[in-house]
C-alpha cells in the first residue's frame, strides 16, 4: 500500500514577516553607520523574503551599501585619515 502524501506546509504566520524591517535597517546601517551590520540585516531580509515569497531587493541593497561602506572606510583609513566619518573635517 502507498502512504498518503504529507499535508502541505502551513502558511506563514501573520505579523511575523520582517522582510521590510530587516531591509530598511540594513540600508540605514550600511549607509550611515556600520557596514557589517548592514550586511547582516541584508542577509536576514533576503532569508525572510525567500520564506514569504517577497522581493529580495531591499536585502540586496543593504548588502551592497554595507560593502560600499566597508570599502570606503578602508580607503579613507589607508589614506591616513584617522577621522571617520570624513565629513567632520
Amino acid at each position: 500500500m502507498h502512504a498518503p502524501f504529507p499535508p502541505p506546509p502551513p502558511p506563514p504566520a501573520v505579523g511575523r514577516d520582517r522582510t521590510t524591517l530587516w531591509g530598511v535597517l540594513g540600508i540605514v546601517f550600511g549607509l550611515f553607520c556600520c557596514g557589517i551590520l548592514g550586511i547582516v540585516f541584508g542577509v536576514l531580509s533576503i532569508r525572510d523574503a525567500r520564506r514569504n515569497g517577497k522581493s529580495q531587493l531591499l536585502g540586496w541593497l543593504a548588502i551592497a551599501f554595507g560593502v560600499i561602506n566597508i570599502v570606503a572606510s578602508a580607503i579613507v583609513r589607508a589614506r591616513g585619515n584617522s577621522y571617520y566619518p570624513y565629513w567632520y573635517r
Side-chain angles (χ1 to χ4, degrees):
M1 304 276 179
H2 295 287
F5 290 108
V14 177
R16 299 292 298 169
D17 180 21
R18 295 187 176 131
T19 304
T20 306
L21 172 69
W22 297 136
V24 170
L25 282 174
I27 289 171
V28 169
F29 279 113
L31 278 176
F32 299 115
C33 177
C34 180
I36 294 173
L37 284 176
I39 293 171
V40 169
F41 285 132
V43 169
L44 289 174
S45 176
I46 290 173
R47 182 194 66 182
D48 281 356
R50 286 183 182 158
R51 285 182 183 171
N52 297 313
K54 290 193 167 186
S55 173
Q56 301 174 8
L57 179 65
L58 289 177
W60 287 113
L61 285 174
I63 290 173
F65 289 141
V67 169
I68 290 170
N69 185 322
I70 291 171
V71 169
S73 176
I75 290 171
V76 167
R77 295 210 183 254
R79 291 178 51 206
N81 186 357
S82 62
Y83 297 107
Y84 187 79
Y86 49 86
W87 52 81
Y88 285 134
R89 275 192 136 176

